[in-house]
Structure formats: C-alpha cells, structure tokens
C-alpha cells in the first residue's frame, strides 16, 4: 500500500479547524454566555487529550495556562465548567454532529489520504458491528434500552452500531457516523441492531451516494430483508453464514455438482482450503434471492484448524478466493482496531462521563468517535504524529505526554507540541552550591 504525503489539512490543526467550522454551523441560541461551538470543541478536547473524566478537565480548565492551550490547540474562546458542558450537550440533537464525519472524510479524500485503501475493484471495505458503551442498574434516561432480570432488577444500557472503513493491510480504520441503538421516547420495546442497520445504511448512502463499498458483517446480517436492503442501496456485501442458521444453503452446496473445491499451501506451510458455488438460493423462504457461497478452512503447520463461511454478491472464481477471504476476515478490525482500542488504550470508551436526561450520553459518544477519527487520519497522513508515536514508544505513552505538556507548558501550536515530544528540550540542572 502506498503511503500518502502529509498535508496540512490532514494534520491536527487542519482537522480541528474543520471541526470548529462545522460545529459553528449548528444553530445556537443567543441567550447563553458561552457559545455552543465552545462547548463542542471543549468536549472534543476532553476525548482528544484522553482525559479520564470531565471533573479532571474542569479542574484543569480553571488554570490560565490550560485555558491558553485550549484556545491555541482547539480554538476554545471560553471553556464551560463540567456541569454547564453536560447541560448544554444534553439539549443537543445528536444528528447535528453527523456532518462532521462527512466533512472529515471529504477532507481525507481530497488530501489523497485514502490512496491505496480501496480493496477490490475500487471498492472500500465497510465493517459493521454493534457494541455497548454504557450500562447501569441505577443511572438511566428515557432512551436507555432495558434488560429485566428474573430477580426483579433492571439493567439500563446504551449501544451503538459502528461503521468503519477497513483494509487487511492497514493499521488505520476510518469510522463513519455510527448509529445509536436507543429506545425511542415513549416506546415500550428496545431498539435492535437490525433496525439500526437500516437507518445507518440509508443515511450512509444519502451522505455518500457515489462511494463504492463492500459491506462486511457477521452472520446475523445474512437474511433476506437485509440483503435486499443492501441491493436497493447499491452496496456490495460479504456476510457471515453459519451452518446452524443456514442449513438449506449448506445442504444445497453439498448436493450441487457445480460446487468447486480448491486447496492451496502458502510459503509458511499454512493450508488454505476453499469450497464455493455461485448462484445459490439463500434459503427456502427466499428461494428467488440468489447469493454466492464461499467456505474456507485454514490449517497451520501445527494442525490448528479454523473454519469460516460467507455469502456474497461478488462473483467467485479460482483467481479471487484469497482476496475475498482476506476481505471478509478484515471485518474483525472493527472489533480489534476500533472497539478494543477505544476501550483499552486510553479513550475511556465505557466510562460514564455523564448521562443526562435527553441526549448527553449519545452526544459524548459521537465526540469520542470524532476524536478517534481525527487520531486515525493523523496516524495515516501526518508525519509529525507518526514520529511522535515512535518517539513516545506507543500511543498510550503519547497520550500521557500530550496531556502532561498541555497541563504544564504554554503551547503555541500542534506543530510545536508534537516537536517537543519528537525532540524534547534538555533542561540543565542548577549546580549544587551547598
């Protein structure tokens, strides 16, 4: 894969200026002392600097040095206290944050940051999966989903359906706008991942009408209504298919004389065995809906075996078996490089920064995802960021170094901040005159 040239608009400064421009377009009411855009940029700073809590951010906000740094790095003219931040963001419709995902993605495209990221015939791999980001038996809001236990207790929770561009050969992932899985106000039944997928994909195609995508999902998605929805939106797909859920499909493939098997052994001694068939009825209830079936076994030199199977609308032949298999298995990057990174590498994804009574938890989730998108764009396109990660010996150490400097030093720019990590100044100790 080619390495894109670093461009100013794909640096922290350029990306955050774009964020402020988009946030400034969200309607604000004039009767507030602090502008809504400052609330949103302050929230973005919390997650960009990987603060463990809003309370810690509030303590730092009171210091003149940190206020100056907030203005220099995030353009915050006046930072709100944590209580006011929660109150204002709780009132905000989360849909107002969607345009920033599109704006940052467009900036990534214009800056040629996606060169080499397309995977198959100019298509990008889009991995979809759901995850939870809040759970409590006490704190809740009208939009919380509810799980009622046999002992009479109730668990309240929030989930989201993520959508992330992935590539088998790339460390970076680029999230598009996720879809919250929420119980609508006044509803008695929980929302579900299937309904969230309908909303997410419809909005995705509206915002990116010409983007060539291959959607990769787990076996829950390989059903007739979902596949027809993908087809209606002109989206290609590779979806998991389990024998226990698709007995008709597997029986058809086993009985067909056109089913083909191919076995390959790579230079590392790994045996790759494929079985495939084009034009298979999905199931007896959707007999007219034909898919292409791919089954795969991988056996390493030690005898360890893995088994996968998928359905796709992409034609399968001997020449593209490895390509399709690697694209399908790249789905796991939404788990490993996205959700696990956010939960375990300093972003505090599951921490309750505030719940609110209306939209706060969802708005904060979006701000965290947007901060993650900015990090990922820098990781791919900004040489200063890349060098700072290397100098820090990992991103966890980089987050610590960034926040330490933000706390202790006056910082004129992101350029100066990263350079202070790449080539830190040497301070001479005063001689001991005792």
């Amino acid at each position: 894969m080619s390495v894109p040239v670093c461009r100013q608009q794909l640096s922290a400064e350029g990306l955050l200026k774009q964020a402020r421009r988009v946030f400034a377009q969200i309607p604000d009411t004039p009767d507030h002392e602090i502008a809504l855009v400052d609330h949103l940029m302050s929230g973005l700073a919390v997650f960009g600097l990987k603060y463990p809590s809003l309370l810690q951010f509030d303590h730092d906000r009171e210091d003149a040095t940190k206020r100056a740094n907030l203005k220099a790095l995030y353009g915050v003219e006046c930072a709100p206290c944590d209580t006011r931040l929660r109150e204002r963001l709780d009132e905000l419709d989360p849909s107002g944050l969607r345009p920033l995902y599109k704006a940052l993605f467009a900036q990534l495209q214009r800056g040629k940051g996606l060169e080499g990221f397309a995977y198959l015939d100019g298509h990008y791999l889009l991995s979809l999966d759901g995850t939870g980001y809040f759970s409590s038996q006490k704190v809740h809001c009208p939009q919380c989903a509810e799980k009622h236990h046999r002992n009479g207790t109730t668990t309240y929770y929030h989930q989201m359906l993520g959508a992330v561009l992935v590539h088998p050969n790339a460390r970076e992932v680029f999230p598009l706008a996720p879809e919250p899985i929420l119980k609508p106000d006044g509803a008695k039944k929980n929302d579900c991942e299937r309904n969230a997928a309908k909303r997410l994909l419809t909005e995705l195609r509206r915002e990116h009408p010409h983007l060539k995508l291959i959607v990769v999902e787990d076996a829950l998605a390989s059903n007739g209504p979902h596949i027809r929805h993908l087809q209606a939106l002109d989206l290609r797909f590779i979806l998991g298919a389990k024998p226990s859920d698709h007995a008709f499909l597997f029986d058809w493939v086993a009985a067909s004389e056109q089913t083909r098997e191919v076995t390959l052994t790579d230079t590392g001694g790994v045996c790759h065995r494929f079985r495939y068939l084009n034009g298979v009825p999905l199931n007896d209830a959707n007999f007219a809906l034909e898919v292409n079936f791919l089954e795969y076994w991988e056996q390493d030199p030690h005898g360890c075996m893995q088994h996968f199977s998928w359905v796709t609308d992409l034609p399968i032949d001997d020449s593209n078996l490895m390509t399709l298999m690697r694209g399908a298995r790249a789905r796991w990057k939404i788990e490993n490089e996205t959700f696990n990174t956010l939960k375990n590498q300093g972003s505090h994804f599951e921490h309750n920064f505030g719940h609110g009574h209306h939209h706060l938890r969802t708005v904060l989730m979006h701000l965290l995802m947007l901060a993650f998108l900015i990090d990922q764009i820098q990781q791919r396109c900004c040489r200063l960021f890349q060098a700072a990660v290397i100098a820090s010996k990992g991103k966890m150490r980089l987050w610590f170094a960034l926040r330490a400097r933000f706390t202790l030093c006056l910082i004129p720019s992101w350029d100066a901040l990263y350079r202070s990590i790449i080539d830190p100044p040497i301070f001479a100790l005063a001689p001991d005159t005792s």
Side-chain angles (χ1 to χ4, degrees), residues 2 4 113 115 117 172 174 376-382 386:
S2 60
E115 283 190 348
F117 210 81
E172 300 80 24
F174 300 113
Q376 291 294 295
I377 294 174
Q378 290 186 88
Q379 180 174 308
R380 181 166 175 81
C381 304
C382 179
Q386 295 163 2

Side-chain angles (χ1 to χ4, degrees), residues 101-405:
Y101 291 94
K102 182 179 179 180
L104 293 175
F105 185 76
Q107 202 150 312
L108 180 65
Q109 286 181 304
R110 287 194 301 268
K112 303 186 183 301
L114 284 176
E115 283 190 348
F117 210 81
Y119 183 67
L120 181 62
D121 297 330
H123 288 77
Y124 298 97
L125 294 172
L126 181 72
S127 180
L128 267 61
D129 201 8
T131 189
Y133 58 92
F134 170 80
S135 178
S136 174
Q137 291 191 338
K138 295 181 179 179
V139 179
H140 60 94
C141 68
Q143 294 184 335
C144 280
E146 300 178 11
K147 183 176 182 180
H148 299 278
H149 305 283
R150 291 182 179 179
N151 62 3
T153 62
T154 301
T155 297
Y156 304 94
Y157 61 93
H158 283 245
Q159 294 177 315
M160 72 170 206
L161 182 66
V164 177
L165 291 186
V166 300
H167 192 289
N169 299 336
R171 294 176 302 158
E172 300 80 24
V173 298
F174 300 113
L176 303 179
E179 182 62 32
I181 304 174
L182 302 171
K183 187 174 69 174
D185 289 337
K188 295 183 178 179
K189 294 181 64 177
N190 291 332
D191 193 10
C192 68
E193 192 170 311
R194 184 175 295 187
N195 289 337
K198 292 179 184 178
R199 300 192 301 269
L200 185 151
L201 293 170
T202 300
E203 285 297 301
L204 172 71
R205 185 46 87 202
R206 181 186 63 80
E207 294 173 344
H208 304 278
H210 306 297
L211 191 62
K212 297 173 69 176
L213 294 169
I214 300 172
V215 178
V216 289
E217 298 180 77
D218 62 20
L220 293 175
S222 52
N223 60 80
H226 185 66
I227 290 175
R228 289 191 177 92
H229 190 223
L230 291 168
Q231 293 173 335
L233 296 173
D234 191 26
L235 296 167
R236 308 283 73 77
F237 61 84
I238 307 175
L239 311 175
K242 293 182 178 179
S244 58
D245 298 332
H246 295 82
F248 180 92
L249 176 70
F250 279 79
D251 289 345
W252 186 284
V253 171
S256 175
E257 296 180 355
Q258 281 74 46
T259 299
R260 177 164 174 75
E261 295 193 17
V262 176
T263 300
L264 307 167
T265 302
D266 63 26
T267 55
V270 178
C271 179
H272 308 271
R273 183 161 68 93
F274 298 90
R275 182 171 71 151
Y276 70 91
L277 179 63
N278 292 305
V280 187
L282 179 66
N283 51 45
D284 51 355
N286 294 275
F287 194 82
L289 180 59
E290 292 190 345
V291 294
N292 304 323
F293 174 85
L294 176 63
E295 192 167 15
Y296 169 68
W297 294 263
E298 176 185 278
Q299 185 172 359
D300 67 20
H302 304 290
C304 182
M305 179 79 74
Q306 296 188 80
H307 172 250
F308 306 91
S309 48
W310 304 278
V311 295
T312 179
D313 64 338
L314 300 167
I316 307 172
D317 57 48
D318 288 3
S319 67
N320 66 2
L321 293 171
M322 293 292 287
T323 301
L324 291 174
M325 177 272 293
R326 294 186 70 239
R329 294 181 70 178
R331 183 187 78 80
W332 288 102
K333 285 182 174 287
I334 195 171
E335 286 283 352
N336 297 329
E337 276 76 10
T338 309
F339 299 152
N340 286 346
T341 296
L342 291 171
K343 293 176 181 180
N344 301 313
Q345 295 189 25
S347 291
H348 311 286
F349 184 70
E350 294 177 302
H351 176 72
N352 182 20
F353 286 86
H355 196 81
H357 303 288
H358 303 288
H359 308 296
L360 177 61
R361 197 65 191 87
T362 303
V363 170
L364 292 176
M365 177 272 291
H366 277 296
L367 291 175
L368 187 148
M369 292 299 295
L370 287 164
F372 176 68
L373 174 56
I374 290 171
D375 289 342
Q376 291 294 295
I377 294 174
Q378 290 186 88
Q379 180 174 308
R380 181 166 175 81
C381 304
C382 179
R383 290 177 179 172
L384 273 179
F385 181 89
Q386 295 163 2
V389 173
I390 293 171
S392 302
K393 299 182 180 179
K395 283 193 283 188
M396 286 287 285
R397 290 177 178 268
L398 174 62
W399 308 145
F400 178 82
L402 289 175
R403 202 162 65 249
R405 284 161 172 77

